[in-house]
Amino acid sequence: MKKILLVGESWVSNSTHFKGFDSFQTTFYELGANNFVKALKDNFEINYMPSHVASTDFPSDLKSLKEYDCVILSDIGANTLLLHPDVFVKGQKFPNRLNLIEDYVLDGGNFAMFGGYFSFQGINGAARFKNTPIERILPVNIHPYDDRLEAPEGSFPLVINDHEILNGITNDWPYLLGCNEVILKDNDNITPILNIKIDKKDYPLLVLSTEFKGKTAVWTSDVGPHWLPNDFVNWKGYKLLWNNLFNWLTS
């Protein structure tokens, strides 16, 4: 069974509640990719590495990373992989894991980035993947600013190129509520598959690349709420889309 490393898609939410004179706090730990993992688990072995674990546990050498057939970064900023505690706390050297991912792809490993508030450049530009090794291996260029595109009115994916990833998927796509804005690279080895129209303009949604020894892909929306709503999660094509994508990436 092919092995996939999914990194990110977790967060801690802290709320303060005020009730007159009194107040109290509640804290929740949340996972954003449970439905995605469930959709793939019959055909792939998934190591779901939450964001707070990735800082220390993401592989720090190529041999360890090559144990996986594909690596996914989803809604996790560059700082988490750059600033291992040895660097940020102890002021010591540590391998640059963004460089490591690039080396992994150049050596035949497969890579995908999914959208989110901490993907690509992200909210307030804080995801910070612009001008990094990750941008070099992606089939898209990243903006140097906050790249979120919100579509609260809903927007439907648009098929622009037929591909085996779409096999069995009928043209009844559910709506999405947003994505990260990226720029398609000009390269014959790059194939845009889906676009999304927001405010009367088309943007890349699903793009594939065979430019390097390993394959790469981007999905610029989310894998679950809020950008990808429950109607999309419950859609009959949800499971098929992800299985087709990762069958292609790891073939």
Side-chain angles (χ1 to χ4, degrees):
M1 188 174 285
K2 300 288 182 65
K3 295 178 65 176
I4 296 175
L5 176 60
L6 168 62
V7 187
E9 284 296 337
S10 74
W11 60 94
V12 175
S13 300
N14 180 263
S15 300
T16 301
H17 307 259
F18 296 95
K19 298 191 175 184
F21 185 88
D22 300 301
S23 66
F24 66 96
Q25 291 186 320
T26 55
T27 303
F28 297 95
Y29 171 63
E30 302 179 65
L31 294 170
N34 285 335
N35 288 308
F36 172 78
V37 172
K38 182 179 178 181
L40 288 174
K41 68 181 180 64
D42 291 339
N43 298 311
F44 297 90
E45 181 182 339
I46 311 291
N47 180 2
Y48 187 176
M49 183 179 290
S51 300
H52 69 284
V53 175
S55 176
T56 54
D57 289 9
F58 188 91
S60 56
D61 62 84
L62 188 58
K63 180 180 178 181
S64 298
L65 200 57
K66 289 181 70 174
E67 293 178 7
Y68 297 96
D69 297 285
C70 187
V71 174
I72 310 166
L73 295 186
S74 185
D75 211 355
I76 180 171
N79 282 331
T80 300
L81 297 182
L82 289 170
L83 299 176
H84 186 281
D86 284 356
V87 176
F88 189 68
V89 178
K90 300 178 182 179
Q92 298 175 353
K93 292 192 299 183
F94 193 84
N96 185 320
R97 290 175 288 186
L98 302 188
N99 284 335
L100 182 63
I101 293 172
E102 181 183 33
D103 292 341
Y104 165 79
V105 170
L106 296 179
D107 199 44
N110 307 298
F111 176 75
M113 176 171 276
F114 291 159
Y117 273 31
F118 275 90
S119 297
F120 302 99
Q121 200 68 351
I123 186 169
N124 300 323
R128 217 176 67 77
F129 284 103
K130 178 66 179 174
N131 294 328
T132 68
I134 300 302
E135 185 180 34
R136 289 198 292 266
I137 59 174
L138 293 178
V140 296
N141 287 315
I142 299 172
H143 288 292
Y145 47 75
D146 190 322
D147 57 11
R148 293 169 301 137
L149 294 170
E150 302 290 350
E153 73 282 10
S155 183
F156 295 91
L158 305 168
V159 177
I160 57 171
N161 275 305
D162 194 20
H163 193 276
E164 64 186 82
I165 287 173
L166 303 180
N167 287 350
I169 297 176
T170 54
N171 195 27
D172 59 345
W173 296 84
Y175 64 86
L176 296 167
L177 295 172
C179 68
N180 296 90
E181 180 183 356
V182 296
I183 305 167
L184 193 68
K185 288 181 179 176
D186 184 12
N187 187 301
D188 291 341
N189 296 308
I190 289 171
T191 306
I193 304 299
L194 299 171
N195 277 356
I196 183 171
K197 187 181 293 291
I198 297 177
D199 195 23
K200 301 180 180 180
K201 183 177 178 181
D202 286 356
Y203 297 95
L205 175 60
L206 177 61
V207 187
L208 311 177
S209 175
T210 56
E211 181 180 1
F212 307 105
K213 190 175 178 181
K215 299 175 182 176
T216 62
V218 298
W219 167 263
T220 60
S221 192
D222 211 335
V223 294
H226 81 279
W227 277 348
L228 189 146
N230 285 321
D231 283 353
F232 204 112
V233 173
N234 296 325
W235 173 52
K236 60 185 177 182
Y238 180 82
K239 180 177 180 178
L240 188 57
L241 175 65
W242 301 129
N243 278 274
N244 285 354
L245 173 61
F246 287 96
N247 279 327
W248 177 82
L249 275 167
T250 60
S251 64

